[in-house]
Amino acid sequence: MQIAIDGPAGSGKSTIAKLVAHKLGYIYCDTGAMYRTVTVMALRLGIDLGDEAAIMDQLKQLDIRFVPSADGQKVLMNGTDVTLAIRQPETTNNVSQVSALPKVREDLVQRQRDIAAQNDIVMDGRDIGTTVLPNAEVKVFMIASVEARAIRRHKENVEKGIMTPIAKLEEEIAERDRKDSTRAVSPLRKAEDAVEIDSTKMTIDEEVAEIIALVPKHSA
Ligand code: CDP
Ligand code: CDP
């Protein structure tokens, strides 16, 4: 069983995907965390983010691993814990440049398909329903207003001690949406057979219930 959840930044994908996976006993795969990890790698090595060949040289040997932990999932990059680093503003503001590189996408899409081939899975990202798992049994495209998404991100950031103002977050989110939706390879778009869910005014529980109702054996 494959459940694909796509949508723009801050629409609630990872929160909902994690809960749906937990309820159904499936694996959860956060593909955004993989693009973020490659971004951290390039920034730490001082590689120009447009230098696809140099990034690919390093990515070929990069081990990206999700490890269950008490407070969710840890992300390990060649054994180093990058769970916090991948959420820092510097990573967030550079990830769309790295994720637009065709060879980086090819490499990570293959890794994502390999994970999905071995498990019942909930996978979230931008191109899961369109490219990574085009035959997923359930496809969801999650949206929410830019204002709602910036307020949510602000709340999360404050808990982590990141104090970016809401207006700035709105700008950053709109800019990332623009870049992710207009890139040449696998742009963010709703798959034709995806169900659109607008989470602007929905609670997390309502969204989880709506998605579980789409899963064939749970919909009765
Ligand atoms: O959590 P948030 O929505 O802010 O972002 P994310 O899901 O962690 O994804 C970070 C970035 O990775 C996105 O802005 C995209 O540029 C890229 N991404 C992608 O291109 N394709 C995916 N399947 C997942 C993420
Ligand atoms: O993965 P993505 O960037 O799409 O979003 P997220 O990180 O899962 O969600 C961003 C924030 O929105 C989280 O703090 C969620 O708790 C919150 N959220 C919410 O308040 N109401 C919803 N219906 C969905 C998410």
Side-chain angles (χ1 to χ4, degrees), residues 27-28 65-76 83:
I27 295 276
Y28 163 56
R65 207 167 284 241
F66 297 108
V67 185
S69 75
D71 48 355
Q73 255 180 0
K74 274 194 194 314
V75 183
L76 300 185
T83 315

Side-chain angles (χ1 to χ4, degrees), residues 30-50:
D30 177 354
T31 63
M34 297 169 86
Y35 289 95
R36 287 171 179 273
T37 301
V38 178
T39 306
V40 167
M41 175 202 79
L43 290 170
R44 286 193 179 171
L45 293 173
I47 302 174
D48 178 323
L49 299 183

Side-chain angles (χ1 to χ4, degrees), residues 81-102:
D81 187 346
V82 291
T83 315
L84 294 178
I86 63 171
R87 306 285 163 203
Q88 289 303 310
E90 191 192 12
T91 312
T92 303
N93 294 332
N94 285 297
V95 61
S96 292
Q97 193 180 343
V98 173
S99 71
L101 300 171

